Amino acid sequence: MKTLVPAVAVWGRTAPSHSITAVMITDDQQTIVTGSQEGQVCLWDLSFFLQISSKEILFGHTASVTCLAKARE
């Protein structure tokens, strides 16, 4: 059984900026991936009704994310 776990982000008084520089959608068209000028990669859930909600934000890059690519399992 698949368990849904909500994403939790912890930061100071303001959320980090996310100036999108790259966008990709997964093959199942349920997740959008964005890369940012600030070096973050974000995953977004895309519902059947085209509602977008945040899923995960990944930190760690020291440079802008200018390209995203799909990898096979």
Side-chain angles (χ1 to χ4, degrees), residues 7-9 11 15-26 30-46 52-61 63-69:
V8 176
W11 48 72
S17 58
H18 188 70
S19 304
I20 295 174
T21 54
V23 177
M24 181 185 74
I25 190 164
T26 57
Q30 294 181 358
T31 304
I32 296 172
V33 183
T34 58
S36 76
Q37 184 175 359
E38 295 78 20
Q40 303 136 4
V41 174
C42 292
L43 304 178
W44 308 86
D45 281 328
L46 179 61
I52 299 172
S53 59
S54 61
K55 184 175 180 179
E56 294 180 49
I57 184 168
L58 309 170
F59 295 93
H61 289 88
S64 296
V65 177
T66 58
C67 182
L68 297 166

mmCIF file of all heavy atoms in Angstrom, residues 7-9 11 15-26 30-46 52-61 63-69:
data_model
loop_
_atom_site.group_PDB
_atom_site.id
_atom_site.type_symbol
_atom_site.label_atom_id
_atom_site.label_comp_id
_atom_site.label_asym_id
_atom_site.label_seq_id
_atom_site.Cartn_x
_atom_site.Cartn_y
_atom_site.Cartn_z
ATOM 1 N N ALA A 7 5.124 16.954 2.254
ATOM 2 C CA ALA A 7 6.438 17.582 2.270
ATOM 3 C C ALA A 7 6.480 18.627 3.377
ATOM 4 O O ALA A 7 5.508 19.334 3.616
ATOM 5 C CB ALA A 7 6.723 18.237 0.925
ATOM 6 N N VAL A 8 7.600 18.699 4.067
ATOM 7 C CA VAL A 8 7.792 19.692 5.114
ATOM 8 C C VAL A 8 9.062 20.467 4.791
ATOM 9 O O VAL A 8 10.107 19.875 4.573
ATOM 10 C CB VAL A 8 7.927 19.039 6.502
ATOM 11 C CG1 VAL A 8 8.215 20.087 7.561
ATOM 12 C CG2 VAL A 8 6.681 18.242 6.847
ATOM 13 N N ALA A 9 8.953 21.778 4.722
ATOM 14 C CA ALA A 9 10.108 22.626 4.469
ATOM 15 C C ALA A 9 10.323 23.526 5.672
ATOM 16 O O ALA A 9 9.372 24.074 6.212
ATOM 17 C CB ALA A 9 9.902 23.456 3.212
ATOM 18 N N TRP A 11 12.547 26.787 7.047
ATOM 19 C CA TRP A 11 13.459 27.892 6.781
ATOM 20 C C TRP A 11 13.075 29.049 7.684
ATOM 21 O O TRP A 11 12.171 28.922 8.511
ATOM 22 C CB TRP A 11 13.463 28.293 5.307
ATOM 23 C CG TRP A 11 12.102 28.479 4.707
ATOM 24 C CD1 TRP A 11 11.234 29.487 4.944
ATOM 25 C CD2 TRP A 11 11.453 27.611 3.782
ATOM 26 N NE1 TRP A 11 10.077 29.310 4.224
ATOM 27 C CE2 TRP A 11 10.183 28.171 3.499
ATOM 28 C CE3 TRP A 11 11.812 26.428 3.157
ATOM 29 C CZ2 TRP A 11 9.299 27.576 2.621
ATOM 30 C CZ3 TRP A 11 10.915 25.846 2.292
ATOM 31 C CH2 TRP A 11 9.685 26.417 2.024
ATOM 32 N N ALA A 15 10.465 32.211 2.662
ATOM 33 C CA ALA A 15 10.835 31.037 1.874
ATOM 34 C C ALA A 15 11.955 31.404 0.917
ATOM 35 O O ALA A 15 12.078 32.555 0.504
ATOM 36 C CB ALA A 15 9.616 30.551 1.094
ATOM 37 N N PRO A 16 12.793 30.429 0.541
ATOM 38 C CA PRO A 16 13.846 30.733 -0.429
ATOM 39 C C PRO A 16 13.238 31.101 -1.775
ATOM 40 O O PRO A 16 12.174 30.595 -2.140
ATOM 41 C CB PRO A 16 14.645 29.427 -0.513
ATOM 42 C CG PRO A 16 13.741 28.373 0.017
ATOM 43 C CD PRO A 16 12.804 29.035 0.956
ATOM 44 N N SER A 17 13.906 31.996 -2.482
ATOM 45 C CA SER A 17 13.410 32.338 -3.815
ATOM 46 C C SER A 17 13.654 31.157 -4.749
ATOM 47 O O SER A 17 14.508 30.309 -4.489
ATOM 48 C CB SER A 17 14.104 33.590 -4.342
ATOM 49 O OG SER A 17 15.496 33.381 -4.384
ATOM 50 N N HIS A 18 12.887 31.088 -5.794
ATOM 51 C CA HIS A 18 12.997 29.971 -6.742
ATOM 52 C C HIS A 18 12.739 30.523 -8.143
ATOM 53 O O HIS A 18 11.632 30.427 -8.662
ATOM 54 C CB HIS A 18 11.996 28.867 -6.388
ATOM 55 C CG HIS A 18 12.160 27.608 -7.194
ATOM 56 N ND1 HIS A 18 13.231 26.759 -7.038
ATOM 57 C CD2 HIS A 18 11.398 27.061 -8.157
ATOM 58 C CE1 HIS A 18 13.108 25.737 -7.869
ATOM 59 N NE2 HIS A 18 11.990 25.901 -8.564
ATOM 60 N N SER A 19 13.763 31.130 -8.719
ATOM 61 C CA SER A 19 13.660 31.681 -10.077
ATOM 62 C C SER A 19 13.868 30.540 -11.059
ATOM 63 O O SER A 19 14.984 30.077 -11.261
ATOM 64 C CB SER A 19 14.725 32.760 -10.284
ATOM 65 O OG SER A 19 14.623 33.760 -9.299
ATOM 66 N N ILE A 20 12.790 30.071 -11.656
ATOM 67 C CA ILE A 20 12.819 28.863 -12.487
ATOM 68 C C ILE A 20 13.643 29.082 -13.755
ATOM 69 O O ILE A 20 13.435 30.029 -14.499
ATOM 70 C CB ILE A 20 11.388 28.423 -12.827
ATOM 71 C CG1 ILE A 20 10.675 28.006 -11.548
ATOM 72 C CG2 ILE A 20 11.392 27.278 -13.838
ATOM 73 C CD1 ILE A 20 9.215 27.683 -11.721
ATOM 74 N N THR A 21 14.595 28.162 -13.967
ATOM 75 C CA THR A 21 15.449 28.199 -15.158
ATOM 76 C C THR A 21 15.291 26.953 -16.023
ATOM 77 O O THR A 21 15.763 26.925 -17.153
ATOM 78 C CB THR A 21 16.926 28.338 -14.748
ATOM 79 O OG1 THR A 21 17.239 27.294 -13.816
ATOM 80 C CG2 THR A 21 17.202 29.686 -14.114
ATOM 81 N N ALA A 22 14.655 25.901 -15.490
ATOM 82 C CA ALA A 22 14.455 24.662 -16.245
ATOM 83 C C ALA A 22 13.179 23.992 -15.766
ATOM 84 O O ALA A 22 12.865 24.021 -14.572
ATOM 85 C CB ALA A 22 15.648 23.728 -16.053
ATOM 86 N N VAL A 23 12.436 23.380 -16.697
ATOM 87 C CA VAL A 23 11.182 22.698 -16.368
ATOM 88 C C VAL A 23 11.141 21.360 -17.092
ATOM 89 O O VAL A 23 11.544 21.257 -18.251
ATOM 90 C CB VAL A 23 9.953 23.538 -16.799
ATOM 91 C CG1 VAL A 23 8.661 22.794 -16.509
ATOM 92 C CG2 VAL A 23 9.945 24.883 -16.120
ATOM 93 N N MET A 24 10.639 20.343 -16.393
ATOM 94 C CA MET A 24 10.477 19.024 -16.999
ATOM 95 C C MET A 24 9.228 18.393 -16.391
ATOM 96 O O MET A 24 8.901 18.640 -15.231
ATOM 97 C CB MET A 24 11.691 18.153 -16.688
ATOM 98 C CG MET A 24 11.627 16.774 -17.291
ATOM 99 S SD MET A 24 13.018 15.730 -16.772
ATOM 100 C CE MET A 24 12.550 15.384 -15.094
ATOM 101 N N ILE A 25 8.504 17.606 -17.167
ATOM 102 C CA ILE A 25 7.358 16.863 -16.647
ATOM 103 C C ILE A 25 7.658 15.379 -16.819
ATOM 104 O O ILE A 25 8.260 14.965 -17.813
ATOM 105 C CB ILE A 25 6.037 17.267 -17.345
ATOM 106 C CG1 ILE A 25 4.844 16.669 -16.621
ATOM 107 C CG2 ILE A 25 6.059 16.919 -18.809
ATOM 108 C CD1 ILE A 25 3.516 17.293 -16.966
ATOM 109 N N THR A 26 7.263 14.581 -15.833
ATOM 110 C CA THR A 26 7.551 13.151 -15.879
ATOM 111 C C THR A 26 6.658 12.467 -16.913
ATOM 112 O O THR A 26 5.639 13.010 -17.335
ATOM 113 C CB THR A 26 7.339 12.508 -14.497
ATOM 114 O OG1 THR A 26 6.004 12.763 -14.061
ATOM 115 C CG2 THR A 26 8.336 13.060 -13.490
ATOM 116 N N GLN A 30 2.346 13.343 -13.845
ATOM 117 C CA GLN A 30 1.838 13.614 -12.510
ATOM 118 C C GLN A 30 2.802 14.453 -11.684
ATOM 119 O O GLN A 30 2.444 14.919 -10.601
ATOM 120 C CB GLN A 30 1.526 12.311 -11.780
ATOM 121 C CG GLN A 30 0.377 11.555 -12.413
ATOM 122 C CD GLN A 30 0.054 10.280 -11.658
ATOM 123 O OE1 GLN A 30 0.699 9.919 -10.687
ATOM 124 N NE2 GLN A 30 -0.964 9.581 -12.128
ATOM 125 N N THR A 31 4.024 14.626 -12.163
ATOM 126 C CA THR A 31 5.025 15.398 -11.433
ATOM 127 C C THR A 31 5.722 16.368 -12.364
ATOM 128 O O THR A 31 6.128 15.991 -13.466
ATOM 129 C CB THR A 31 6.077 14.476 -10.782
ATOM 130 O OG1 THR A 31 5.415 13.524 -9.945
ATOM 131 C CG2 THR A 31 7.078 15.266 -9.952
ATOM 132 N N ILE A 32 5.841 17.614 -11.921
ATOM 133 C CA ILE A 32 6.621 18.624 -12.632
ATOM 134 C C ILE A 32 7.901 18.825 -11.836
ATOM 135 O O ILE A 32 7.879 18.886 -10.608
ATOM 136 C CB ILE A 32 5.847 19.956 -12.727
ATOM 137 C CG1 ILE A 32 4.574 19.768 -13.554
ATOM 138 C CG2 ILE A 32 6.727 21.055 -13.327
ATOM 139 C CD1 ILE A 32 3.657 20.972 -13.539
ATOM 140 N N VAL A 33 9.021 18.917 -12.528
ATOM 141 C CA VAL A 33 10.316 19.161 -11.893
ATOM 142 C C VAL A 33 10.807 20.512 -12.385
ATOM 143 O O VAL A 33 10.784 20.778 -13.589
ATOM 144 C CB VAL A 33 11.332 18.063 -12.261
ATOM 145 C CG1 VAL A 33 12.651 18.286 -11.534
ATOM 146 C CG2 VAL A 33 10.773 16.680 -11.976
ATOM 147 N N THR A 34 11.226 21.375 -11.453
ATOM 148 C CA THR A 34 11.775 22.675 -11.841
ATOM 149 C C THR A 34 13.165 22.827 -11.249
ATOM 150 O O THR A 34 13.439 22.384 -10.133
ATOM 151 C CB THR A 34 10.891 23.843 -11.358
ATOM 152 O OG1 THR A 34 10.757 23.791 -9.942
ATOM 153 C CG2 THR A 34 9.525 23.815 -12.009
ATOM 154 N N GLY A 35 14.036 23.452 -12.018
ATOM 155 C CA GLY A 35 15.360 23.829 -11.536
ATOM 156 C C GLY A 35 15.394 25.337 -11.423
ATOM 157 O O GLY A 35 14.689 26.039 -12.152
ATOM 158 N N SER A 36 16.202 25.856 -10.505
ATOM 159 C CA SER A 36 16.194 27.290 -10.271
ATOM 160 C C SER A 36 17.572 27.920 -10.416
ATOM 161 O O SER A 36 18.593 27.247 -10.332
ATOM 162 C CB SER A 36 15.657 27.608 -8.878
ATOM 163 O OG SER A 36 16.630 27.329 -7.899
ATOM 164 N N GLN A 37 17.551 29.219 -10.587
ATOM 165 C CA GLN A 37 18.769 30.014 -10.658
ATOM 166 C C GLN A 37 19.532 29.926 -9.335
ATOM 167 O O GLN A 37 20.753 30.021 -9.307
ATOM 168 C CB GLN A 37 18.424 31.466 -10.978
ATOM 169 C CG GLN A 37 19.618 32.362 -11.173
ATOM 170 C CD GLN A 37 19.195 33.758 -11.598
ATOM 171 O OE1 GLN A 37 18.019 34.058 -11.766
ATOM 172 N NE2 GLN A 37 20.166 34.625 -11.769
ATOM 173 N N GLU A 38 18.815 29.721 -8.237
ATOM 174 C CA GLU A 38 19.432 29.646 -6.916
ATOM 175 C C GLU A 38 20.029 28.268 -6.601
ATOM 176 O O GLU A 38 20.604 28.062 -5.545
ATOM 177 C CB GLU A 38 18.397 30.006 -5.839
ATOM 178 C CG GLU A 38 17.903 31.431 -5.908
ATOM 179 C CD GLU A 38 16.854 31.658 -7.006
ATOM 180 O OE1 GLU A 38 16.225 30.689 -7.481
ATOM 181 O OE2 GLU A 38 16.681 32.804 -7.399
ATOM 182 N N GLY A 39 19.870 27.291 -7.503
ATOM 183 C CA GLY A 39 20.467 25.973 -7.315
ATOM 184 C C GLY A 39 19.562 24.930 -6.700
ATOM 185 O O GLY A 39 20.021 23.867 -6.309
ATOM 186 N N GLN A 40 18.263 25.185 -6.607
ATOM 187 C CA GLN A 40 17.330 24.213 -6.045
ATOM 188 C C GLN A 40 16.658 23.417 -7.161
ATOM 189 O O GLN A 40 16.493 23.903 -8.264
ATOM 190 C CB GLN A 40 16.243 24.912 -5.228
ATOM 191 C CG GLN A 40 16.749 25.766 -4.118
ATOM 192 C CD GLN A 40 16.019 27.098 -4.072
ATOM 193 O OE1 GLN A 40 15.101 27.351 -4.816
ATOM 194 N NE2 GLN A 40 16.464 27.960 -3.183
ATOM 195 N N VAL A 41 16.245 22.212 -6.814
ATOM 196 C CA VAL A 41 15.398 21.397 -7.680
ATOM 197 C C VAL A 41 14.117 21.147 -6.897
ATOM 198 O O VAL A 41 14.170 20.714 -5.746
ATOM 199 C CB VAL A 41 16.078 20.065 -8.058
ATOM 200 C CG1 VAL A 41 15.123 19.170 -8.830
ATOM 201 C CG2 VAL A 41 17.348 20.315 -8.855
ATOM 202 N N CYS A 42 12.972 21.456 -7.492
ATOM 203 C CA CYS A 42 11.682 21.274 -6.815
ATOM 204 C C CYS A 42 10.833 20.268 -7.572
ATOM 205 O O CYS A 42 10.826 20.248 -8.805
ATOM 206 C CB CYS A 42 10.920 22.594 -6.728
ATOM 207 S SG CYS A 42 11.694 23.781 -5.633
ATOM 208 N N LEU A 43 10.124 19.448 -6.809
ATOM 209 C CA LEU A 43 9.158 18.507 -7.380
ATOM 210 C C LEU A 43 7.773 18.996 -7.002
ATOM 211 O O LEU A 43 7.518 19.369 -5.850
ATOM 212 C CB LEU A 43 9.380 17.099 -6.819
ATOM 213 C CG LEU A 43 10.778 16.509 -6.997
ATOM 214 C CD1 LEU A 43 10.857 15.142 -6.340
ATOM 215 C CD2 LEU A 43 11.133 16.415 -8.460
ATOM 216 N N TRP A 44 6.872 18.974 -7.974
ATOM 217 C CA TRP A 44 5.503 19.468 -7.793
ATOM 218 C C TRP A 44 4.530 18.387 -8.245
ATOM 219 O O TRP A 44 4.708 17.791 -9.298
ATOM 220 C CB TRP A 44 5.275 20.714 -8.643
ATOM 221 C CG TRP A 44 6.287 21.790 -8.465
ATOM 222 C CD1 TRP A 44 7.485 21.909 -9.121
ATOM 223 C CD2 TRP A 44 6.216 22.910 -7.586
ATOM 224 N NE1 TRP A 44 8.152 23.038 -8.703
ATOM 225 C CE2 TRP A 44 7.392 23.674 -7.761
ATOM 226 C CE3 TRP A 44 5.265 23.350 -6.671
ATOM 227 C CZ2 TRP A 44 7.641 24.832 -7.051
ATOM 228 C CZ3 TRP A 44 5.511 24.509 -5.965
ATOM 229 C CH2 TRP A 44 6.681 25.238 -6.155
ATOM 230 N N ASP A 45 3.495 18.135 -7.442
ATOM 231 C CA ASP A 45 2.425 17.217 -7.851
ATOM 232 C C ASP A 45 1.476 17.950 -8.783
ATOM 233 O O ASP A 45 1.114 19.098 -8.526
ATOM 234 C CB ASP A 45 1.638 16.725 -6.635
ATOM 235 C CG ASP A 45 2.355 15.619 -5.894
ATOM 236 O OD1 ASP A 45 3.069 14.826 -6.531
ATOM 237 O OD2 ASP A 45 2.189 15.541 -4.655
ATOM 238 N N LEU A 46 1.062 17.297 -9.848
ATOM 239 C CA LEU A 46 0.105 17.854 -10.795
ATOM 240 C C LEU A 46 -1.122 16.952 -10.795
ATOM 241 O O LEU A 46 -1.052 15.788 -11.172
ATOM 242 C CB LEU A 46 0.712 17.920 -12.206
ATOM 243 C CG LEU A 46 -0.161 18.461 -13.317
ATOM 244 C CD1 LEU A 46 -0.580 19.904 -13.021
ATOM 245 C CD2 LEU A 46 0.556 18.382 -14.644
ATOM 246 N N ILE A 52 -1.581 22.375 -8.959
ATOM 247 C CA ILE A 52 -0.178 22.105 -8.655
ATOM 248 C C ILE A 52 0.066 22.329 -7.167
ATOM 249 O O ILE A 52 -0.350 23.337 -6.610
ATOM 250 C CB ILE A 52 0.744 23.025 -9.484
ATOM 251 C CG1 ILE A 52 0.521 22.765 -10.974
ATOM 252 C CG2 ILE A 52 2.198 22.808 -9.119
ATOM 253 C CD1 ILE A 52 1.226 23.749 -11.877
ATOM 254 N N SER A 53 0.725 21.373 -6.517
ATOM 255 C CA SER A 53 1.092 21.525 -5.114
ATOM 256 C C SER A 53 2.531 21.056 -4.919
ATOM 257 O O SER A 53 2.997 20.152 -5.612
ATOM 258 C CB SER A 53 0.147 20.737 -4.211
ATOM 259 O OG SER A 53 0.172 19.367 -4.557
ATOM 260 N N SER A 54 3.233 21.701 -3.992
ATOM 261 C CA SER A 54 4.638 21.363 -3.774
ATOM 262 C C SER A 54 4.767 19.980 -3.165
ATOM 263 O O SER A 54 3.938 19.540 -2.379
ATOM 264 C CB SER A 54 5.300 22.408 -2.879
ATOM 265 O OG SER A 54 4.660 22.438 -1.630
ATOM 266 N N LYS A 55 5.824 19.298 -3.558
ATOM 267 C CA LYS A 55 6.064 17.943 -3.081
ATOM 268 C C LYS A 55 7.396 17.883 -2.330
ATOM 269 O O LYS A 55 7.441 17.474 -1.187
ATOM 270 C CB LYS A 55 6.077 16.998 -4.281
ATOM 271 C CG LYS A 55 6.224 15.552 -3.983
ATOM 272 C CD LYS A 55 6.095 14.755 -5.264
ATOM 273 C CE LYS A 55 6.225 13.266 -5.025
ATOM 274 N NZ LYS A 55 6.080 12.525 -6.281
ATOM 275 N N GLU A 56 8.478 18.315 -2.977
ATOM 276 C CA GLU A 56 9.805 18.296 -2.372
ATOM 277 C C GLU A 56 10.632 19.443 -2.915
ATOM 278 O O GLU A 56 10.451 19.857 -4.058
ATOM 279 C CB GLU A 56 10.550 16.990 -2.698
ATOM 280 C CG GLU A 56 9.955 15.751 -2.108
ATOM 281 C CD GLU A 56 10.739 14.523 -2.480
ATOM 282 O OE1 GLU A 56 11.977 14.536 -2.325
ATOM 283 O OE2 GLU A 56 10.122 13.546 -2.935
ATOM 284 N N ILE A 57 11.567 19.936 -2.110
ATOM 285 C CA ILE A 57 12.546 20.904 -2.568
ATOM 286 C C ILE A 57 13.915 20.349 -2.186
ATOM 287 O O ILE A 57 14.125 19.915 -1.059
ATOM 288 C CB ILE A 57 12.308 22.318 -1.993
ATOM 289 C CG1 ILE A 57 13.291 23.317 -2.571
ATOM 290 C CG2 ILE A 57 12.345 22.325 -0.489
ATOM 291 C CD1 ILE A 57 12.953 24.772 -2.297
ATOM 292 N N LEU A 58 14.789 20.294 -3.144
ATOM 293 C CA LEU A 58 16.108 19.703 -2.953
ATOM 294 C C LEU A 58 17.162 20.799 -3.029
ATOM 295 O O LEU A 58 17.225 21.541 -4.010
ATOM 296 C CB LEU A 58 16.367 18.640 -4.025
ATOM 297 C CG LEU A 58 15.247 17.592 -4.180
ATOM 298 C CD1 LEU A 58 15.478 16.746 -5.418
ATOM 299 C CD2 LEU A 58 15.143 16.731 -2.950
ATOM 300 N N PHE A 59 17.980 20.904 -1.998
ATOM 301 C CA PHE A 59 19.048 21.886 -1.942
ATOM 302 C C PHE A 59 20.386 21.188 -2.156
ATOM 303 O O PHE A 59 20.482 19.987 -1.995
ATOM 304 C CB PHE A 59 19.077 22.573 -0.563
ATOM 305 C CG PHE A 59 17.865 23.392 -0.260
ATOM 306 C CD1 PHE A 59 16.791 22.854 0.413
ATOM 307 C CD2 PHE A 59 17.805 24.717 -0.646
ATOM 308 C CE1 PHE A 59 15.682 23.606 0.708
ATOM 309 C CE2 PHE A 59 16.686 25.487 -0.365
ATOM 310 C CZ PHE A 59 15.620 24.923 0.321
ATOM 311 N N GLY A 60 21.410 21.937 -2.486
ATOM 312 C CA GLY A 60 22.743 21.347 -2.542
ATOM 313 C C GLY A 60 23.587 21.801 -3.715
ATOM 314 O O GLY A 60 24.804 21.749 -3.643
ATOM 315 N N HIS A 61 22.964 22.228 -4.802
ATOM 316 C CA HIS A 61 23.745 22.710 -5.927
ATOM 317 C C HIS A 61 24.363 24.067 -5.568
ATOM 318 O O HIS A 61 23.744 24.888 -4.909
ATOM 319 C CB HIS A 61 22.878 22.874 -7.178
ATOM 320 C CG HIS A 61 22.441 21.576 -7.765
ATOM 321 N ND1 HIS A 61 21.293 20.929 -7.360
ATOM 322 C CD2 HIS A 61 23.004 20.794 -8.717
ATOM 323 C CE1 HIS A 61 21.168 19.814 -8.040
ATOM 324 N NE2 HIS A 61 22.188 19.697 -8.869
ATOM 325 N N ALA A 63 25.509 26.055 -8.037
ATOM 326 C CA ALA A 63 25.322 26.878 -9.236
ATOM 327 C C ALA A 63 23.884 26.729 -9.715
ATOM 328 O O ALA A 63 23.132 25.883 -9.223
ATOM 329 C CB ALA A 63 26.291 26.447 -10.336
ATOM 330 N N SER A 64 23.501 27.547 -10.669
ATOM 331 C CA SER A 64 22.152 27.482 -11.236
ATOM 332 C C SER A 64 21.902 26.121 -11.865
ATOM 333 O O SER A 64 22.794 25.507 -12.432
ATOM 334 C CB SER A 64 21.978 28.558 -12.304
ATOM 335 O OG SER A 64 22.087 29.826 -11.744
ATOM 336 N N VAL A 65 20.653 25.668 -11.771
ATOM 337 C CA VAL A 65 20.233 24.445 -12.454
ATOM 338 C C VAL A 65 19.667 24.909 -13.794
ATOM 339 O O VAL A 65 18.608 25.506 -13.852
ATOM 340 C CB VAL A 65 19.174 23.685 -11.641
ATOM 341 C CG1 VAL A 65 18.691 22.461 -12.403
ATOM 342 C CG2 VAL A 65 19.730 23.293 -10.272
ATOM 343 N N THR A 66 20.401 24.664 -14.860
ATOM 344 C CA THR A 66 20.000 25.156 -16.177
ATOM 345 C C THR A 66 19.461 24.064 -17.085
ATOM 346 O O THR A 66 18.996 24.350 -18.177
ATOM 347 C CB THR A 66 21.182 25.845 -16.872
ATOM 348 O OG1 THR A 66 22.262 24.917 -16.987
ATOM 349 C CG2 THR A 66 21.643 27.069 -16.074
ATOM 350 N N CYS A 67 19.515 22.815 -16.641
ATOM 351 C CA CYS A 67 19.048 21.705 -17.471
ATOM 352 C C CYS A 67 18.567 20.577 -16.576
ATOM 353 O O CYS A 67 19.158 20.321 -15.535
ATOM 354 C CB CYS A 67 20.187 21.232 -18.380
ATOM 355 S SG CYS A 67 19.726 19.898 -19.480
ATOM 356 N N LEU A 68 17.501 19.922 -16.983
ATOM 357 C CA LEU A 68 17.000 18.738 -16.292
ATOM 358 C C LEU A 68 16.888 17.612 -17.309
ATOM 359 O O LEU A 68 16.548 17.860 -18.469
ATOM 360 C CB LEU A 68 15.625 19.017 -15.682
ATOM 361 C CG LEU A 68 15.571 20.096 -14.602
ATOM 362 C CD1 LEU A 68 14.133 20.510 -14.336
ATOM 363 C CD2 LEU A 68 16.236 19.609 -13.334
ATOM 364 N N ALA A 69 17.168 16.391 -16.895
ATOM 365 C CA ALA A 69 17.091 15.251 -17.811
ATOM 366 C C ALA A 69 16.444 14.067 -17.100
ATOM 367 O O ALA A 69 16.616 13.882 -15.901
ATOM 368 C CB ALA A 69 18.490 14.863 -18.298
#
